[in-house]
C-alpha cells in the first residue's frame, strides 16, 4: 500500500525504503574489494574459491542489525561462521531447498537483507529474473559459486597455510589468500587484496604476510 505523501512529510516519519541505507557495511579488511566499500543493496555478488569469504561478508552487516538467510549449504559450519564474526542470531538457515530452489530463493529475497546461495546451476534466464527481484527488493544476493551476470565477482586464490612444518606436523594457525574483485560498472577495474582468511584468531585479518610457503590446503 502506498504511503500518503502528507504522512511522509511529517518530521520523523519515513518509509521502510527510506530507513534502509543503500549500502550494507562489511569488515574493513574487505571494503577495498567492493565498489563504494560495501555491499550495495540490489546487487548480486558471486564468490569463487572460498566459502569462508562468503561468510565473512555477512559479519559486519549482521552485527549491525541486518538479517541474512543461507540456503543450499547443508554442511555450513556455524562455529566457523561465528569465528568470522557472523551474528548467528540474525541468520536463518534453509539447508536444502530441493526442487523448489527458485521459489525458496524468491521468498528469501523478499524477506531478508542478505541471501546466501550455495553452489547451484541456475539458467541465465532464471538468473536474470531473480537478479531483477533482488534489485526491486533491495536485497544483496551472495552466491558461493558463479552467477550469470553478477554485478561483482570475487575470486580467492593463492592459499598458503601457516603452522605446519615440512614433515606435516603442527597446528594450522592462519591462511594467506589473495582475493580479486572484478565486475560491471564501478567494479570493472580489477582489485586485488591480500588477506588472512582465517587469521590467527579465526576472524579475517588484513594483509597476507610474506614469507616461506609452509603448506597449501585446498578449501
Amino acid at each position: 500500500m502506498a504511503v500518503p505523501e502528507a504522512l511522509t512529510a511529517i518530521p520523523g516519519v519515513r518509509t521502510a525504503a527510506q530507513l534502509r541505507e543503500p549500502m550494507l557495511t562489511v569488515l574493513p579488511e574487505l571494503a577495498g574489494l567492493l565498489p563504494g566499500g560495501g555491499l550495495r543493496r540490489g546487487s548480486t555478488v558471486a564468490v569463487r574459491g572460498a566459502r569462508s569469504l562468503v561468510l565473512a561478508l555477512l559479519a559486519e552487516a549482521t552485527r549491525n542489525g541486518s538479517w541474512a538467510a543461507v540456503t543450499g549449504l547443508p554442511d555450513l559450519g556455524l562455529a566457523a561462521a561465528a569465528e568470522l564474526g557472523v551474528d548467528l542470531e540474525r541468520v536463518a538457515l534453509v539447508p536444502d531447498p530441493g526442487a523448489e530452489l527458485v521459489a525458496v530463493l524468491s521468498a528469501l529475497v523478499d524477506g531478508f537483507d542478505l541471501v546466501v546461495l550455495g553452489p547451484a546451476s541456475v539458467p541465465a534466464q532464471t538468473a536474470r529474473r531473480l537478479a531483477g527481484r533482488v534489485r526491486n527488493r533491495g536485497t544483496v544476493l551472495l552466491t558461493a559459486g558463479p552467477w550469470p551476470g553478477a554485478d561483482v565477482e570475487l575470486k580467492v586464490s593463492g592459499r598458503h597455510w601457516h603452522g605446519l612444518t615440512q614433515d606435516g606436523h603442527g597446528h594450522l594457525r592462519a591462511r594467506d589468500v589473495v582475493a580479486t574483485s572484478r565486475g560491471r560498472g564501478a567494479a570493472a577495474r580489477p582489485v586485488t587484496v591480500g588477506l588472512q582468511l582465517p587469521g590467527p584468531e579465526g576472524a579475517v585479518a588484513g594483509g597476507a604476510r610474506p614469507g616461506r610457503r609452509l603448506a597449501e590446503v585446498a578449501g
Side-chain angles (χ1 to χ4, degrees):
M1 182 177 69
V3 179
E5 184 176 348
L7 181 60
T8 58
I10 299 174
V13 175
R14 294 184 292 171
T15 64
Q18 290 171 326
L19 286 170
R20 296 188 305 179
E21 296 295 334
M23 197 82 68
L24 298 177
T25 55
V26 297
L27 295 170
E29 295 84 358
L30 305 179
L33 287 169
L34 300 164
L39 294 167
R40 180 174 54 82
R41 286 188 179 274
S43 66
T44 55
V45 180
V47 181
R48 306 179 68 173
R51 185 184 301 179
S52 53
L53 180 55
V54 179
L55 297 176
L57 289 168
L58 300 179
E60 192 75 3
T62 55
R63 290 203 303 241
N64 287 338
S66 296
W67 287 86
V70 180
T71 187
L73 289 173
D75 57 345
L76 177 67
L78 295 181
E83 285 188 345
L84 288 166
V86 179
D87 183 350
L88 299 181
E89 293 187 355
R90 290 189 169 271
V91 177
L93 301 177
V94 183
D96 185 4
E100 301 299 324
L101 171 62
V102 174
V104 169
L105 195 56
S106 297
L108 295 177
V109 165
D110 288 350
F112 289 85
D113 299 296
L114 303 106
V115 176
V116 173
L117 174 65
S121 179
V122 178
Q125 183 176 358
T126 303
R128 286 194 297 270
R129 187 169 70 251
L130 288 169
R133 195 181 193 98
V134 168
R135 286 193 298 271
N136 291 336
R137 298 297 190 270
T139 306
V140 175
L141 176 62
L142 299 170
T143 66
W147 180 267
D151 296 297
V152 179
E153 181 174 283
L154 306 179
K155 184 178 180 180
V156 174
S157 60
R159 306 172 187 85
H160 298 160
W161 280 99
H162 293 275
L164 294 182
T165 60
Q166 289 184 337
D167 58 4
H169 292 84
H171 298 280
L172 297 176
R173 296 196 308 268
R175 181 178 65 172
D176 290 342
V177 302
V178 176
T180 302
S181 168
R182 69 178 65 213
R184 300 185 297 172
R189 185 176 181 180
V191 175
T192 299
V193 174
L195 299 170
Q196 286 199 323
L197 185 65
E201 303 301 323
V204 180
R209 298 172 187 157
R212 182 169 56 91
R213 175 176 171 177
L214 298 178
E216 182 170 340
V217 181

